[in-house]
Amino acid sequence: MSGGASMADRRLHALARAIGGFTLVELLIALVLMALISALLFGSLKVAGRSSDAGDAKAEATASMRLASDFLRTEIEEQHPQRMRHIAEFPLLFSGAPDQLEFAAPVPSRIQGGGVWLYRLRVATDGDKSTLVLDRMVPDVNAQALPQFTGNDRSVLADDITDIKLQYFGRDDGADASVAPTWRDRWDSRQTLPLEIRIDVTPARGSAWPTIYASPRNAPEAGCRGYDYNRQRCVSA
């Protein structure tokens, strides 16, 4: 009888433990597991949030890059053959260096007044900040000297730009049309325009922009009443 009673007591004790709940050790193990699962879930959500923010930032940067590229291409291709009227041989308002470009183009339609402005494309630095800017001014085409940029009237095309590289495709000043055009880092001719301009922009972060190609208006006689094709010079305006 005692053996049977002992067995029954053990069964009742086990049943009571099961009904009574977890032991302290089991409860601690459960809490640790819950903490680990919560940490994993929080980490996953944090990574997902960062990925989403990075994706949004990249999409915004790509959209800004495309807008700036399209704007630049349009402005350069609408380059106006503006000449200085009171300087010998009536030079064009166009000058190309490896790191900046000056050209004349019509004022955008959204701006009142119309006319032709002189633009300068370059990277401007202010302390640790560097931006791709388009300076602008109204040139005095009746002046006795080529205009110089002195003010700060500009548009910011893109932020955090470290470098811009420009190249020009064309012939040397005065070269015969049979001479094959080549790429060069400068464009010093004040009588003709390059056939094509290449622009490479390097941002502070991320990949370089896709190369921008633009073809300005290049009729050599543009802006002249008379043009000497032998000397490739404007003789009257």
Side-chain angles (χ1 to χ4, degrees):
M1 292 293 291
S2 62
S6 178
M7 182 65 69
D9 290 342
R10 285 198 294 272
R11 289 178 177 176
L12 289 173
H13 183 67
L15 181 62
R17 286 182 59 192
I19 295 174
F22 298 105
T23 64
L24 180 59
V25 173
E26 291 171 336
L27 182 60
L28 290 175
I29 293 173
L31 290 174
V32 170
L33 290 174
M34 289 181 62
L36 290 174
I37 293 171
S38 299
L40 289 173
L41 288 174
F42 178 76
S44 299
L45 291 173
K46 191 173 182 179
V47 170
R50 288 179 178 175
S51 299
S52 178
D53 292 342
D56 292 343
K58 185 174 182 179
E60 182 178 353
T62 300
S64 298
M65 176 269 294
R66 288 177 177 172
L67 286 173
S69 298
D70 291 344
F71 175 78
L72 270 180
R73 186 180 296 106
T74 300
E75 285 294 295
I76 293 173
E77 290 182 348
E78 291 184 355
Q79 193 275 150
H80 183 78
Q82 182 68 62
R83 292 181 180 271
M84 298 296 292
R85 298 170 181 169
H86 293 166
I87 301 179
E89 297 181 333
F90 312 101
L92 283 167
L93 287 179
F94 186 96
S95 178
D99 57 354
Q100 72 175 32
L101 168 66
E102 294 183 13
F103 63 97
V107 175
S109 57
R110 67 178 182 276
I111 299 178
Q112 296 181 353
V116 174
W117 285 6
L118 182 62
Y119 295 92
R120 179 176 61 178
L121 175 67
R122 65 189 178 99
V123 172
T125 57
D126 183 9
D128 295 333
K129 184 179 180 181
S130 60
T131 54
L132 182 64
V133 301
L134 196 62
D135 300 318
R136 58 183 180 268
M137 63 176 290
V138 178
D140 180 5
V141 296
N142 294 313
Q144 299 292 332
L146 292 169
Q148 302 292 325
F149 284 91
T150 56
N152 294 314
D153 193 4
R154 67 180 57 164
S155 297
V156 175
L157 303 181
D159 293 318
D160 299 324
I161 301 298
T162 59
D163 184 52
I164 180 174
K165 181 181 179 182
L166 295 117
Q167 290 184 302
Y168 310 89
F169 186 68
R171 301 177 182 87
D172 291 334
D173 198 14
D176 189 82
S178 61
V179 176
T182 58
W183 286 102
R184 67 278 312 282
D185 294 330
R186 305 190 67 89
W187 191 264
D188 296 319
S189 173
R190 290 288 185 174
Q191 291 298 319
T192 60
L193 301 176
L195 301 174
E196 194 167 30
I197 300 172
R198 171 176 174 162
I199 305 172
D200 291 296
V201 180
T202 304
R205 293 179 294 276
S207 303
W209 290 16
T211 300
I212 303 169
Y213 290 95
S215 300
R217 300 174 183 177
N218 51 48
E221 70 277 9
C224 296
R225 293 180 182 174
Y227 191 80
D228 185 342
Y229 285 91
N230 293 323
R231 298 175 58 241
Q232 296 188 17
R233 289 290 185 272
C234 186
V235 294
S236 63

